[in-house]
Amino acid sequence: MMTNQDLKQIEEKGISPHVIEKQINNFKLGFPYIKLFKPAIPGDGIFKFRDKENSFFQDYFKTSLPDLTVVKFVPASGAASRMFKHLFEFQEKYRLGKISFSGSDPDAGCETAQFFFINLSKLAFYSTLDKLLKEKNIDINKLIADKDFNALIEFILNENGLNYANLPKALILFHSYPGGARTSAEEHLVEAANYTYDKNRIARIHFTISPEHQERFTELFHQVKTKYENKYNVTFSISFSVQKPSTDILAVDEDNKPFRNAEGTLLFRPGGHGALLENLNEIEADLVFIKNIDNIVPDRLKNETFNYKELIGGFLLWIREKLFDFLKKAENETVSAMDIEEIKQFVQTNLMLSFPDEFYDLTDKEKIKYLVNRLSRPLRVCGMVKNEGEPGGGPFWVTNDDNQHSLQIVESSQVDLKDAQQKAIWNSATHFNPVDLVCSYRDHHGNKFELSNFMDEKTGFISIKSIGGRNLKAQELPGLWNGSMAGWLTIFVEVPIETFNPVKTVNDLLRKEHLPD
């Protein structure tokens, strides 16, 4: 099936022919659905702490922080174009006269283009847009009065204006302040300054970006870095990485044969956010916080976020210390029968791990071996918010191949929603995954685990796409916080809905949470 040109193209991406063969086989066989056992809820899969416990774990984190290397990991390559989808749709309809605009409808739905134009002056990028248009001798108020909305959209989205359709979401101005507006990337700097600094006041943050935007990121941070360093008394260590070409996945046609571009070359597609597992694997840190680029709030609402970052960080460190103490004892062969019972109860209570019936028939030596294997893994604590209708994944107990149950973050695409029982379990979920994680993936000697060893390869995803009128099948790797972390020790903690304020469309920036007081 592969020509010499194909093999050269594959080699240039750093992909082995064996991996290509596996990808094609996945297309042929498909991926099995995950088997939901029940939703994770408070008291049964999700911890809900009392104020006293919150304070204990926050203090534990603050006390530990100076001696740790902590990194904030922010996937930031996502294009902003999706934020403006409704403006693109409006533009075409308005041009064809298929839509009218009164300009004064107080009941305009908050997701409509009309709502956007009525409230345009409230957006953080309005001043920049106004200034840019004045330099072109264009009056923004006249454009609005003349209902020349298509021209206004052009100036917001295209190269002769703000060029927002061609920028990543990280570089869009999100919030207004007296001293000037901030991009979402800057807001993440401010967060990092408050809970990632070490004893030398170094605050570390890592962005995964598209290579074509690295110059823009570098320019932005060159302009603002010193300002935030002076304001928060830290020194930033800012790093970048790009999704590796070796994580791209071959597309196939509907007969599962390699899909070819017009010139005959193979078509590869990015492997989804699961591809970032390799980027994460290269981060050198004791703790890594993971948070999406668009889930950010202005300063007036940040304290609640900081409190819960300290909570989940402190809880992880407390758990990790107990696990490391046991693993060191096991290595030194100083584990007693009492130690076995103590660690068993500890992980049952705090990791919610169950043990098979056979465990109780093992000798002490066999129990220790079993526990070491079960506990020598990366560890993550994941914040979960109450489900208020947001689309996306959530926390569930799933049934594994060995018929044991584990806590997993599951996306709807992983579930057979045609199965009435599985659909009922899916619909009974009470909580939602806001991508609010803290991770530790060093062992008790300080050595990094190889994260690919803990991935469930059977949790990939296949979808149908179209290019130039031709259908193709695309495949994504197991999601970064889904199947890519399936073998991790996982803990879910309830965090307030106030800590989850994503910006999926530009109109989300007009919610009260994103506007000045």
Side-chain angles (χ1 to χ4, degrees):
M1 291 172 65
M2 296 293 175
T3 66
N4 288 335
Q5 180 184 343
D6 295 338
L7 295 173
K8 183 180 179 183
Q9 189 181 352
I10 291 167
E11 183 182 359
E12 286 172 350
K13 279 188 166 287
I15 306 175
S16 75
H18 170 68
V19 169
I20 295 295
E21 188 178 328
K22 240 165 88 172
Q23 291 174 2
I24 293 175
N25 206 41
N26 287 337
F27 281 118
K28 291 177 179 177
L29 298 177
F31 292 104
Y33 288 115
I34 207 163
K35 189 174 180 181
L36 301 180
F37 177 60
K38 59 183 175 179
I41 60 175
D44 186 15
I46 300 177
F47 285 96
K48 186 173 182 179
F49 294 118
R50 298 183 294 270
D51 290 343
K52 187 176 180 181
E53 292 168 317
N54 285 8
S55 299
F56 172 80
F57 291 121
Q58 285 178 252
D59 291 342
Y60 198 95
F61 178 79
K62 290 174 185 175
T63 302
S64 306
L65 183 59
D67 296 319
L68 298 171
T69 299
V70 181
V71 173
K72 188 167 194 235
F73 183 90
V74 186
S77 61
S81 55
R82 284 170 287 185
M83 285 178 63
F84 302 99
K85 181 184 176 186
H86 68 302
L87 295 186
F88 285 117
E89 292 171 350
F90 169 86
Q91 194 176 32
E92 179 64 14
K93 292 176 182 176
Y94 195 65
R95 182 180 66 80
L96 296 173
K98 293 182 178 180
I99 190 169
S100 60
F101 189 92
S102 69
S104 60
D105 183 0
D107 297 320
C110 65
E111 294 303 316
T112 65
Q114 183 155 329
F115 184 83
F116 171 82
F117 290 118
I118 290 170
N119 295 283
L120 179 61
S121 62
K122 297 177 183 177
L123 291 164
F125 57 77
Y126 177 82
S127 296
T128 304
L129 177 64
D130 185 32
K131 181 181 176 183
L132 183 149
L133 291 176
K134 282 176 179 173
E135 290 171 356
K136 297 175 180 289
N137 295 316
I138 298 172
D139 185 343
I140 193 170
N141 293 314
K142 188 173 187 304
L143 286 178
I144 295 172
D146 292 344
K147 298 184 181 179
D148 196 353
F149 300 118
N150 280 357
L152 194 51
I153 292 172
E154 289 291 318
F155 286 122
I156 293 169
L157 300 183
N158 294 336
E159 291 180 2
N160 61 333
L162 298 179
N163 200 28
Y164 275 5
N166 299 305
L167 292 182
K169 199 179 284 190
L171 300 180
I172 304 298
L173 290 168
F174 266 38
H175 299 141
S176 298
Y177 294 93
R182 288 183 197 163
T183 61
S184 58
E186 289 173 79
E187 295 288 24
H188 279 281
L189 280 190
V190 173
E191 275 205 14
N194 280 273
Y195 59 80
T196 73
Y197 57 86
D198 61 17
K199 61 187 173 186
N200 297 315
R201 301 290 302 181
I202 297 174
R204 296 173 174 84
I205 186 165
H206 182 91
F207 294 93
T208 63
I209 62 173
S210 299
E212 64 268 25
H213 295 131
Q214 180 154 358
E215 188 175 336
R216 295 290 294 265
F217 275 94
T218 302
E219 181 184 345
L220 171 67
F221 292 134
H222 177 73
Q223 292 171 357
V224 304
K225 183 170 175 276
T226 301
K227 175 178 70 174
Y228 294 120
E229 287 179 335
N230 292 338
K231 182 171 182 176
Y232 296 101
N233 187 30
V234 298
T235 299
F236 284 113
S237 173
I238 304 171
S239 56
F240 305 103
S241 65
V242 299
Q243 194 164 307
K244 298 180 185 301
S246 59
T247 63
D248 289 350
I249 297 180
L250 179 70
V252 298
D253 62 22
E254 293 177 292
D255 294 321
N256 299 314
K257 294 179 180 177
F259 189 97
R260 296 184 182 277
N261 296 303
E263 63 274 18
T265 57
L266 300 172
L267 175 67
F268 287 87
R269 295 176 58 86
H273 59 70
L276 299 181
L277 187 71
E278 291 202 18
N279 303 63
L280 183 66
N281 201 43
E282 294 178 354
I283 300 292
E284 297 287 346
D286 298 303
L287 289 184
V288 178
F289 286 92
I290 302 177
K291 191 175 182 182
N292 279 342
I293 188 66
D294 63 6
N295 182 17
I296 207 77
V297 291
D299 287 353
R300 64 185 174 82
L301 298 177
K302 283 194 175 77
N303 281 341
E304 189 81 333
T305 293
F306 298 157
N307 290 341
Y308 277 85
K309 284 290 188 292
E310 293 166 354
L311 167 64
I312 64 174
F315 192 38
L316 183 146
L317 290 169
W318 180 74
I319 296 283
R320 192 179 72 170
E321 182 180 4
K322 303 290 186 185
L323 299 183
F324 281 5
D325 284 347
F326 172 78
L327 292 170
K328 287 172 183 175
K329 280 185 178 181
E331 192 170 67
N332 296 327
E333 299 183 349
T334 59
V335 176
S336 66
M338 187 179 295
D339 291 327
I340 294 173
E341 183 59 26
E342 183 180 322
I343 194 67
K344 181 178 76 69
Q345 290 184 11
F346 179 82
V347 300
Q348 282 177 321
T349 301
N350 295 287
L351 292 173
M352 300 192 185
L353 294 183
S354 59
F355 292 85
D357 293 339
E358 303 82 59
F359 175 82
Y360 299 94
D361 296 326
L362 300 175
T363 65
D364 283 356
K365 189 172 183 179
E366 289 170 334
K367 285 179 180 177
I368 292 168
K369 184 178 179 181
Y370 175 92
L371 286 164
V372 168
N373 180 62
R374 194 86 184 268
L375 301 178
S376 296
R377 295 165 181 266
L379 172 65
R380 60 175 177 163
V381 176
C382 314
M384 294 291 159
V385 297
K386 288 182 180 177
N387 194 333
E388 296 189 352
E390 293 284 350
F396 289 87
W397 289 98
V398 307
T399 304
N400 304 325
D401 291 342
D402 58 3
N403 216 32
Q404 296 294 303
H405 302 125
S406 65
L407 289 167
Q408 302 289 342
I409 297 171
V410 181
E411 304 290 333
S412 61
S413 59
Q414 296 177 265
V415 182
D416 183 5
L417 296 176
K418 294 179 182 177
D419 181 309
Q421 185 182 34
Q422 291 290 288
K423 185 176 182 179
I425 297 172
W426 176 261
N427 289 337
S428 64
T430 61
H431 284 66
F432 171 81
N433 165 41
V435 188
D436 187 2
L437 293 77
V438 59
C439 307
S440 170
Y441 44 87
R442 284 182 175 169
D443 64 19
H444 58 289
H445 292 297
N447 301 316
K448 281 196 309 182
F449 288 106
E450 173 51 56
L451 298 186
S452 61
N453 292 337
F454 302 91
M455 176 175 66
D456 182 355
E457 292 185 342
K458 299 189 299 297
T459 56
F461 177 69
I462 294 171
S463 59
I464 304 296
K465 306 287 183 182
S466 179
I467 291 184
R470 300 162 60 203
N471 284 345
L472 62 85
K473 292 164 75 173
Q475 186 179 147
E476 289 190 11
L477 294 164
L480 181 58
W481 38 82
N482 311 116
S484 282
M485 295 182 175
W488 292 41
L489 297 172
T490 294
I491 301 167
F492 296 145
V493 174
E494 183 179 89
V495 298
I497 190 68
E498 289 79 11
T499 64
F500 180 57
N501 291 283
V503 176
K504 300 305 178 187
T505 76
V506 66
N507 284 22
D508 287 334
L509 291 172
L510 292 167
R511 294 182 181 181
K512 66 181 188 305
E513 293 84 2
H514 292 285
L515 294 174
D517 278 336

